[in-house]
Amino acid sequence: MDLGIKGKRALICASSKGLGRGCAEALAAEGVNVVLNARSEGPLSETAEAIRQAYGVTVETVAGDISTEEGRAEVLRVAGAVDILVNNAGGPPPGVWSDWGRDDFIKALDANMLAPIAMIKALVPGMIDRGWGRVVNITSQSVKAPIPALGLSNSARTGLTGYVAGTSRQVAPEGVVMNNLLPGIHATDRAVSLDGGVATAQGITPEEAKAQREATIPARRYGTAAEFGATCAFLCSQHAGFIIGQNILLDGGGVNTTM
């Protein structure tokens, strides 16, 4: 299927690895020119070169933390006018409800709610002027089924979900399509970290922790960055114009819910 987005320009946040990189590669494979952002220059440059070599598209990079005003300003300066925005950020650390104070919540909100909103506010007006745009926010399955150890992420990402629910319907008449992707556990560094925490807590190996978690997923495996990226690319395509304000689970069936 031709997604009809060849020659478009996309900004993908937190895209040097993991799900963000999966989205960047899937878009590049469709002929989309990409601007990649991450905090660390080294992995970002390596990913950019790999995508250039594999897909022959224009790839620009900007290292910076978009949860800060300075970082966002630099990313937006380099990105310029984009047709596609993929918001993404690593989740806050796991913990226990009694451990989190105000500063912990503010940091989580800055990274996983307020920064994506700021990027939307900065880039969507240009999409409206041009009559076409796509925004995909990578959130988490926890907005459907909260995960006790991830209370900081539950709170911040659910806040973003509420914002997108209203905003997506306001910008849809202008040709801007906005949706959320809700990943379950995928084979990324985040999964390694979470499995490591479980292994330490239970006195088992990381491999045993992974097998234990896989057994709770109907698909009996972790997702891949490539299949996640393919779904993101479809939501950015010409064929997704009637999908507005949706929260799409990619979790292997892990969240057991009718709606």
Side-chain angles (χ1 to χ4, degrees):
M1 178 186 290
D2 180 2
L3 298 188
I5 50 177
K6 183 177 182 179
K8 299 288 188 184
R9 181 175 174 83
L11 167 62
I12 307 99
C13 301
S15 50
S16 64
K17 55 186 177 180
L19 300 182
R21 177 169 179 168
C23 294
E25 291 187 344
L27 288 168
E30 294 297 322
V32 176
N33 299 309
V34 296
V35 180
L36 308 182
N37 157 251
R39 296 183 185 185
S40 301
E41 182 66 54
L44 187 61
S45 296
E46 292 172 8
T47 295
E49 186 56 28
I51 291 176
R52 286 189 196 100
Q53 294 297 324
Y55 305 109
V57 297
T58 299
V59 183
E60 299 171 69
T61 64
V62 52
D65 181 358
I66 62 165
S67 69
T68 68
E69 290 188 15
E70 296 80 4
R72 280 195 301 278
E74 180 62 12
V75 171
L76 291 168
R77 183 190 68 79
V78 173
V82 299
D83 307 294
I84 295 166
L85 167 64
V86 179
N87 272 317
N88 183 34
V96 180
W97 66 271
S98 56
D99 294 337
W100 300 315
R102 185 178 189 279
D103 289 346
D104 299 308
F105 279 99
I106 293 300
K107 186 175 181 180
L109 290 169
D110 277 339
N112 298 121
M113 177 183 169
L114 299 178
I117 290 173
M119 297 298 287
I120 289 168
K121 290 181 68 177
L123 294 173
V124 166
M127 298 178 187
I128 291 173
D129 289 343
R130 294 185 295 276
W132 195 95
R134 298 289 187 266
V135 178
V136 174
N137 303 290
I138 300 176
T139 61
S140 169
Q141 68 177 26
S142 67
V143 303
K144 288 276 191 179
I147 300 169
L150 300 181
L152 295 173
S153 178
N154 297 341
S155 304
R157 297 191 193 279
T158 301
L160 176 62
T161 302
Y163 174 85
V164 170
T167 304
S168 61
R169 288 161 173 86
Q170 294 177 71
V171 302
E174 311 300 330
V176 179
V177 172
M178 188 181 304
N179 292 288
N180 302 320
L181 281 180
L182 285 54
I185 197 74
H186 283 69
T188 64
D189 288 350
R190 174 73 162 170
V192 172
S193 175
L194 293 173
D195 287 341
V198 171
T200 299
Q202 296 185 8
I204 59 179
T205 67
E207 292 74 21
E208 289 171 326
K210 179 182 180 183
Q212 182 175 284
R213 190 189 300 269
E214 285 179 327
T216 70
I217 303 170
R220 295 297 188 268
R221 65 176 178 87
Y222 288 1
T224 70
E227 62 193 347
F228 188 91
T231 306
C232 178
F234 179 80
L235 288 178
C236 296
S237 77
Q238 299 282 12
H239 309 295
F242 209 56
I243 305 174
I244 304 297
Q246 298 304 301
N247 295 287
I248 299 173
L249 279 165
L250 286 87
D251 67 341
V255 174
N256 189 358
T257 179
T258 300
M259 301 294 289

